[in-house]
Amino acid sequence: MAIDTKNPETLALHAGYRADPTTGAVAVPIYQTTAYQFDHSQHAENLFALKEMGNIYSRIMNPTNDVLEQRVTALEGGAAALALSSGQAASAIAVQNIAQAGDNIVSSTDLYGGTWNLFANTFKTMGIEVRFVDPADPQAFRKATDDKTRAFYAETLPNPKLKVFPIREVADIANDIGIPLIADNTAAPILCKPLEHGAHIVVYSTTKYIGGHGTSIGGLIVDGGTFDWEKHAERFPMLNQPDPSYHGAVWTEATKPLGPVAYIIKARVTLLRDLGSSMSPFNAFQFIQGLETLPLRMREHCRNTQATADFLANHEAVETVIHPSRHTGEDKRRADTYLQGGYGGLLGFELKAGKEAGRRFIDALQLFYHVANIGDARSLAIHPATTTHSQLSSEERLATGVTDGYVRLSIGIEHIDDILADLGQALKASNG
Ligand code: PLP
């Protein structure tokens, strides 16, 4: 059912589903099935030939996942979405869908450590080169581009630096050259709408804020439907030339009757089919539950995080606080332009007393969980240099903004007094 609103609070509850047509169930059912009965042999043939859209096999599509995909598409203002088994699968498939051996992409240096590894090492073994550039200068993307460049890639609110990516500035360059901008919006759902600022494709780790309760791993790719793949046919042969893996389909032509969805359909029926990184319907159900309260939770995450940033900035044990509200100049302007309704739920800080004090601080926390995760309703803390970013070389680590003494907090939606009390006692303990 189409909902005639742009308000995220309403879309998060209603887009893509009204009631189960068979039972009337108001909650989205978990369609825990592998396969789907075809009506007759012609129906089966039509589905496989993409002459008709419908369910074939749950590795490629599932009705529970479909509601999640439609709901997130509506929230982002996109054309179509694809649910995947993890955020990592979403990043990998978003790129592999248009880049193959011999091609390159240009990526921001400010990335989650896992994405950095995927790009710098695993993609290299597949023959896809990733050229890393500093997003402080949007023109760096243009300079790194050549005729083998297939995408620009960035995180909208990357931790640990928490410097918001210049989406419009790089999207303008992308449009000028004819390259799609892929934006990982994991840390800023609801707050940032990358498609509205010119990004062409959005990826999410739904594991974080969208799920919101730390129960399930998942990912999503949302296609804005705004990139003209046919206009740039020479740069995108994978979408414009016959695909031997699907009886010679030319994706931009084969999907034309369905709207601007060539990119997502190809990802679904070739890469998801072949790699099998599907989201389980049970996890899709968890993410649908999470989405329902996402706008509400993001408000609370932002409010508590702002109060925590202010508290830490005034604390004698703290050297620096990294939070978008505390940036200055162009970084602050970008935060104010691209984030609406708050600066997100993440913050970082460095203790005056350095690395050992950081360890003591983490070990003294009682309310905060010490985990490698963000975006949970509970407050979380970690020391990235010895955990999430430990597989990078020290140069790579510094390039992503992780210094030895940096502590990352993902502020939850507990009462702010309890959050600050736990931080206060742990800071005290960090003195040794
Ligand atoms: N993108 C960002 C910004 C992340 O923080 C993460 C995980 O921490 C990922 C992608 C990968 O997501 P997942 O753990 O769901 O594979």
Side-chain angles (χ1 to χ4, degrees):
M1 176 189 142
I3 300 284
D4 187 21
T5 180
K6 285 195 166 175
N7 294 320
E9 293 82 355
T10 310
L11 290 172
L13 286 157
H14 294 283
Y17 178 83
R18 183 64 191 174
D20 179 55
T22 313
T23 63
V26 170
V28 179
I30 302 171
Y31 288 94
Q32 195 71 32
T33 182
T34 303
Y36 305 84
Q37 166 81 352
F38 302 122
D39 296 342
H40 39 72
S41 55
Q42 188 61 49
H43 179 224
E45 197 176 324
N46 287 349
L47 292 180
F48 276 90
L50 298 178
K51 286 186 186 148
E52 213 177 309
M53 294 314 281
N55 296 316
I56 298 175
Y57 190 66
S58 277
R59 181 170 2 99
I60 333 175
M61 73 281 281
N62 174 279
T64 311
N65 298 23
D66 181 56
V67 174
L68 174 68
E69 289 161 352
Q70 287 193 48
R71 203 158 276 186
V72 172
T73 300
L75 279 165
E76 294 297 325
L82 180 63
L84 294 154
S85 56
S86 67
Q88 285 299 103
S91 311
I93 286 181
V95 172
Q96 284 178 299
N97 202 34
I98 43 177
Q100 55 193 341
D103 295 341
N104 69 71
I105 67 164
V106 181
S107 172
S108 165
T109 46
D110 295 0
L111 292 177
Y112 161 61
T115 310
W116 181 288
N117 248 327
L118 168 70
F119 285 5
N121 299 307
T122 301
F123 273 180
K124 194 191 256 175
T125 67
M126 297 171 173
I128 299 171
E129 181 198 354
V130 181
R131 301 172 174 185
F132 294 100
V133 298
D134 184 349
D137 175 17
Q139 290 301 331
F141 281 80
R142 189 192 293 278
K143 287 180 201 141
T145 298
D146 64 17
D147 60 6
K148 287 286 189 186
T149 304
R150 302 292 180 248
F152 292 164
Y153 191 99
E155 289 179 20
T156 53
L157 177 59
N159 80 80
K161 291 182 192 164
L162 299 176
K163 289 187 179 177
V164 174
F165 184 75
I167 308 173
R168 171 58 62 191
E169 291 87 333
V170 175
D172 284 348
I173 296 167
N175 284 326
D176 193 30
I177 309 174
I179 288 176
L181 169 61
I182 304 174
D184 178 340
N185 199 39
T186 297
I190 305 296
L191 310 175
C192 179
K193 294 265 204 79
L195 300 177
E196 284 182 2
H197 298 294
H200 304 91
I201 293 153
V202 179
V203 303
Y204 277 108
S205 163
T206 52
T207 313
K208 316 297 177 189
Y209 291 99
I210 290 180
H213 298 81
T215 64
S216 316
I217 302 281
L220 274 163
I221 306 175
V222 187
D223 182 359
T226 49
F227 191 83
D228 191 341
W229 305 104
E230 275 184 294
K231 187 171 164 196
H232 305 287
E234 241 173 72
R235 201 180 276 281
F236 297 101
M238 294 168 81
L239 283 163
N240 287 288
Q241 283 179 17
D243 185 343
S245 94
Y246 216 97
H247 53 72
V250 175
W251 293 110
T252 45
E253 284 170 18
T255 59
K256 214 161 253 172
L258 304 169
V261 293
Y263 173 88
I264 280 291
I265 300 256
K266 175 186 175 294
R268 184 187 293 285
V269 302
T270 64
L271 288 174
L272 187 54
R273 175 199 62 186
D274 297 350
L275 301 176
S277 24
S278 334
M279 181 184 284
S280 84
F282 180 77
N283 282 8
F285 173 82
Q286 298 284 346
F287 297 129
I288 291 166
Q289 296 303 294
L291 269 185
E292 292 193 352
T293 55
L294 182 64
L296 206 60
R297 281 186 286 110
M298 290 314 290
R299 280 203 284 276
E300 282 304 297
H301 282 297
C302 289
R303 213 163 59 117
N304 280 350
T305 308
Q306 183 67 62
T308 306
D310 296 342
F311 168 81
L312 290 172
N314 290 314
H315 199 287
E316 58 194 9
V318 174
E319 177 74 38
T320 39
V321 174
I322 296 109
H323 182 250
S325 71
R326 306 195 65 79
H327 291 325
T328 54
E330 183 59 13
D331 291 330
K332 180 70 175 14
R333 188 199 66 76
R334 287 176 187 168
D336 289 334
T337 303
Y338 297 116
L339 300 178
Q340 300 294 313
Y343 295 111
L346 302 176
L347 72 82
F349 70 97
E350 286 195 51
L351 288 161
K352 283 185 184 146
K355 194 171 171 179
E356 282 315 307
R359 283 184 195 273
R360 284 196 295 271
F361 168 83
I362 294 267
D363 287 338
L365 288 168
Q366 291 170 8
L367 181 74
F368 278 66
Y369 281 87
H370 178 202
V371 293
N373 194 18
I374 57 169
D376 196 312
R378 303 159 192 85
S379 289
L380 316 173
I382 201 155
H383 180 230
T386 52
T387 55
T388 52
H389 287 61
S390 61
Q391 284 142 37
L392 308 184
S393 70
S394 52
E395 295 79 44
E396 286 174 332
R397 217 166 358 95
L398 281 177
T400 70
V402 172
T403 55
D404 279 350
Y406 184 97
V407 175
R408 183 185 73 198
L409 302 181
S410 172
I411 302 295
I413 59 173
E414 300 94 342
H415 196 286
I416 188 62
D417 292 352
D418 300 321
I419 291 172
L420 299 186
D422 195 33
L423 292 175
Q425 66 79 24
L427 284 168
K428 210 166 175 188
S430 74
N431 277 333

